[in-house]
Amino acid sequence: RVAVVGAGVSGLTATKCCLDEGLKPTCFEQSRDIGGLWRYTEHIEAGRPSLYPSVISNTSKEMSAFSDFPYPEDFPVFLPNARLLDYLRRYAERFGLREHIKFGTTVVSIRKHPDFATTGQWDVVTEADGKQTSHVFDAVMVCSGNFSEPSLPLHCFPGIERFQGQYFHSRQYKHPDVFQGKRVLVVGMGNSGVDIAVEASRVATKVTVCTSRGAWVLSRVFDHGYPWDMVFNTRLMSLIRNSLPGPLSRGLINYRVNQWFKHENYGLQLEKSCLVREPVLNDDLPSYILTGRITIKPGVKEFKENSVVFHNCPEEEPIDIVVFCTGYKVSFPFLEEAVVKVENKHASLYKYVFPTHLQRPTLAILGLIKPFGAIMPVTEMQARWVTRVFKGLCRLPPQPVMEKEVNEKKKNQVRWFGLSFDEVLKTDCLVYMDKLASFIGAKPSVLGLLCRDPRLALTIFFGPCTPYQYRLGGPGHWEGARQAILTQWDRTLKPTRTRVTAGSSS
């Protein structure tokens, strides 16, 4: 019996992977519906992620699909949140997941069962309609996400207590009308910050975005108009990036991201060119800077009553509203710190999944990772691996080996990314997926396929690394995987080729 906490992207695929392996999942969802982050509600609900209605996925549908369930061909290439939620509902219906979900049920606590050392069992207390219930589970999959508890480090912003205007965290943002005729400051240059700045600039008097570190900005529309991740995340590109020495690899990435526009000319260059940053996906920002709608400034030095002073800028900037786009805290309020300890938004987890110090590997955290690509296939691969570990079909290394790897990875991540906010969670998704797939015997062999099915092998190596590759063989083999790979560009182009003329190529 497996307890699954949350019915968002990770919780749904965790439930499905349990069923695939013959386990008995019970998924606890505190709200009244599935979807997690992707289910928009006008009102902000405590303990739940909160979207603004204009959110569109940053990764394309082919790269974001679960590996045995492609998106419908008529869905747009990048998905408005309502369409992505529609996909999740179809997935739940297709695999009969709803009957395993208990809605309106909050997980209050998860504690080791008294005989945990021998059984690996967990005592789980849930609450529904004001009534608490105790359960015993053989294993637990934590899929509660990390976009519910905003990080608002006001102590890092001197003078904010005397600022007389309005300020709030991006989690509270819903509609741009709040900025009508105002002078707006957006603090932070993640995806939410840039989205909000672009929306605000259509109604505000002035919009300023401040960033101490800069950012790489990519368009969803990449080389020859193809989706960015289908061009960027291929096996060939990954091999090149990971084979080159560090400085060359970073130089290559730097060259690629500056092809659309030179970041330095727009005040967006990275503070330390040797660091790797998660790219910001926005199609409008450069043109909005060019047309004066948005101004980029360095980090905040201090706030005054009705203005702000930036580092290296002597003049004050008058402002009326501040939006703090400062990310989220990672927290598991239902778990004891002894089970998962979070420091600097980083939990010591083997392969970002298993706590390294438990006597029995019967608790896993899913989705606590920020890949350079889509999260959905990554959490699905985590769930496929985890369920086989629970069954005893895959074994984890000894505790000292896992701890050594976690510490090494932390050091390398700090070298590449710089330890700030959630940078330590970022990883190359293709390398990571391949590693987990090799654990369960589902990693595709390009060389092996080259003899048996050269067309498929070449598509896999030179084309986008779509999730269907991990269903070609091994446990969870799906008959439709080959066809899904060979038709991936058809599904990508179908919703855009809506005007076909006589002279068009088919």
Side-chain angles (χ1 to χ4, degrees):
R1 295 182 66 229
V2 181
V4 178
V5 184
V9 166
S10 302
L12 291 173
T13 194
T15 303
K16 191 248 181 196
C17 290
C18 283
L19 295 172
D20 288 348
E21 290 292 348
L23 304 172
K24 295 177 183 172
T26 304
C27 179
F28 299 106
E29 169 54 49
Q30 66 177 7
S31 69
R32 298 286 168 185
D33 202 356
I34 64 168
L37 172 69
W38 292 102
R39 183 164 60 81
Y40 172 77
T41 52
E42 186 61 37
H43 300 289
I44 298 165
E45 299 172 22
R48 262 202 79 230
S50 176
L51 273 185
Y52 37 100
S54 57
V55 168
I56 294 173
S57 68
N58 285 331
T59 50
S60 62
K61 65 176 181 178
E62 289 302 302
M63 302 297 278
S64 308
F66 291 123
S67 59
D68 54 358
F69 193 69
Y71 280 82
E73 61 176 16
D74 59 330
F75 271 41
V77 181
F78 290 93
L79 299 132
N81 59 80
R83 301 302 289 276
L84 210 150
L85 179 61
D86 181 16
Y87 172 76
L88 293 177
R89 287 188 169 138
R90 291 174 188 226
Y91 181 74
E93 187 179 340
R94 166 70 180 80
F95 296 108
L97 306 182
R98 277 187 180 272
E99 62 200 74
H100 300 279
I101 304 172
K102 292 189 183 298
F103 292 105
T105 306
T106 303
V107 174
V108 178
S109 74
I110 297 173
R111 301 282 182 267
K112 290 178 181 176
H113 198 55
D115 58 0
F116 177 82
T118 51
T119 65
Q121 290 183 324
W122 297 87
D123 291 327
V124 178
V125 178
T126 59
E127 186 174 310
D129 301 321
K131 184 183 165 205
Q132 290 199 350
T133 312
S134 296
H135 322 254
V136 176
F137 284 95
D138 300 308
V140 174
M141 297 171 88
V142 177
C143 306
S144 52
N146 55 324
F147 293 103
S148 301
E149 195 179 329
S151 172
L152 189 51
L154 292 178
H155 62 278
C156 298
F157 299 96
I160 188 68
E161 67 287 339
R162 66 172 181 264
F163 178 61
Q164 292 174 1
Q166 182 186 356
Y167 66 84
F168 56 87
H169 189 273
S170 57
R171 182 173 184 265
Q172 294 172 270
Y173 172 72
K174 292 291 180 185
H175 304 284
D177 350 351
V178 66
F179 304 125
Q180 187 75 47
K182 306 280 190 185
R183 295 164 300 188
V184 181
L185 172 65
V186 176
V187 178
M189 266 213 77
N191 285 299
S192 298
V194 174
D195 280 356
I196 292 169
V198 164
E199 285 196 9
S201 71
R202 294 172 187 145
V203 296
T205 304
K206 184 171 186 188
V207 174
T208 305
V209 177
C210 73
T211 171
S212 56
R213 297 182 297 159
W216 282 337
V217 181
L218 292 182
S219 171
R220 291 178 177 87
V221 186
F222 217 60
D223 297 352
H224 308 293
Y226 293 121
W228 78 273
D229 52 351
M230 293 182 80
V231 176
F232 203 79
N233 283 335
T234 68
R235 291 191 172 277
L236 174 64
M237 285 294 291
S238 178
L239 184 67
I240 293 169
R241 283 195 300 268
N242 290 293
S243 302
L244 293 173
L248 267 179
S249 176
R250 292 191 285 273
L252 175 67
I253 297 171
N254 205 41
Y255 169 73
R256 289 294 278 140
V257 297
N258 277 292
Q259 276 186 301
W260 182 25
F261 68 96
K262 191 175 180 183
H263 283 55
E264 189 179 349
N265 293 347
Y266 289 70
L268 295 170
Q269 74 275 21
L270 294 183
E271 190 68 26
K272 297 178 183 171
S273 58
C274 63
L275 296 183
V276 175
R277 287 293 314 277
E278 179 189 26
V280 171
L281 270 293
N282 195 280
D283 306 295
D284 300 312
L285 183 66
S287 65
Y288 278 40
I289 294 172
L290 270 186
T291 53
R293 291 186 180 191
I294 293 175
T295 307
I296 306 295
K297 292 280 189 179
V300 170
K301 186 177 181 184
E302 67 170 324
F303 284 98
K304 302 206 168 172
E305 283 79 0
N306 300 296
S307 62
V308 62
V309 180
F310 300 106
H311 288 290
N312 308 321
C313 294
E315 69 276 6
E316 294 177 21
E317 180 96 28
I319 48 166
D320 305 306
I321 294 186
V322 184
V323 188
F324 287 101
C325 302
T326 44
Y328 291 83
K329 295 175 185 171
V330 175
S331 68
F332 305 102
F334 43 81
L335 287 175
E336 292 175 301
E337 200 176 79
V339 175
V340 178
K341 189 174 183 183
V342 177
E343 292 176 302
N344 291 322
K345 300 194 178 187
H346 176 79
S348 290
L349 301 170
Y350 177 64
K351 302 297 181 198
Y352 303 98
V353 174
F354 285 102
T356 54
H357 58 279
L358 294 177
Q359 299 122 304
R360 301 267 169 176
T362 55
L363 181 137
I365 312 281
L366 271 64
L368 190 60
I369 186 170
K370 290 214 165 193
F372 280 117
I375 187 72
M376 291 159 94
V378 172
T379 57
E380 180 192 37
M381 184 59 74
Q382 288 178 334
R384 290 174 68 186
W385 174 46
V386 166
T387 48
R388 292 182 73 76
V389 170
F390 286 170
K391 283 180 75 176
L393 298 172
C394 291
R395 300 189 73 81
L396 299 185
Q399 184 178 331
V401 175
M402 291 195 289
E403 285 178 353
K404 185 181 176 194
E405 183 179 310
V406 167
N407 292 330
E408 283 297 313
K409 187 167 270 299
K410 226 190 294 191
K411 273 187 221 153
N412 289 335
Q413 297 282 33
V414 172
R415 265 209 299 276
W416 267 66
F417 300 121
L419 184 62
S420 55
F421 288 117
D422 46 9
E423 249 71 12
V424 284
L425 300 179
K426 301 208 177 87
T427 194
D428 182 324
C429 59
L430 206 160
V431 173
Y432 180 71
M433 294 263 287
D434 272 358
K435 175 58 74 175
L436 297 194
S438 68
F439 291 161
I440 64 171
K443 181 183 170 184
S445 166
V446 178
L447 287 176
L449 282 170
L450 206 49
C451 308
R452 301 193 312 273
D453 194 337
R455 182 188 171 200
L456 182 62
L458 294 174
T459 305
I460 284 175
F461 185 70
F462 291 104
C465 186
T466 44
Y468 325 119
Q469 297 188 8
Y470 299 103
R471 292 282 180 180
L472 287 168
H477 166 71
W478 173 47
E479 289 296 334
R482 180 182 186 276
Q483 185 61 16
I485 293 167
L486 296 177
T487 55
Q488 58 201 11
W489 283 112
D490 298 338
R491 285 188 301 281
T492 302
L493 296 174
K494 173 79 188 289
T496 59
R497 285 187 166 184
T498 49
R499 176 182 170 265
V500 181
T501 60
S504 299
S505 59
S506 57

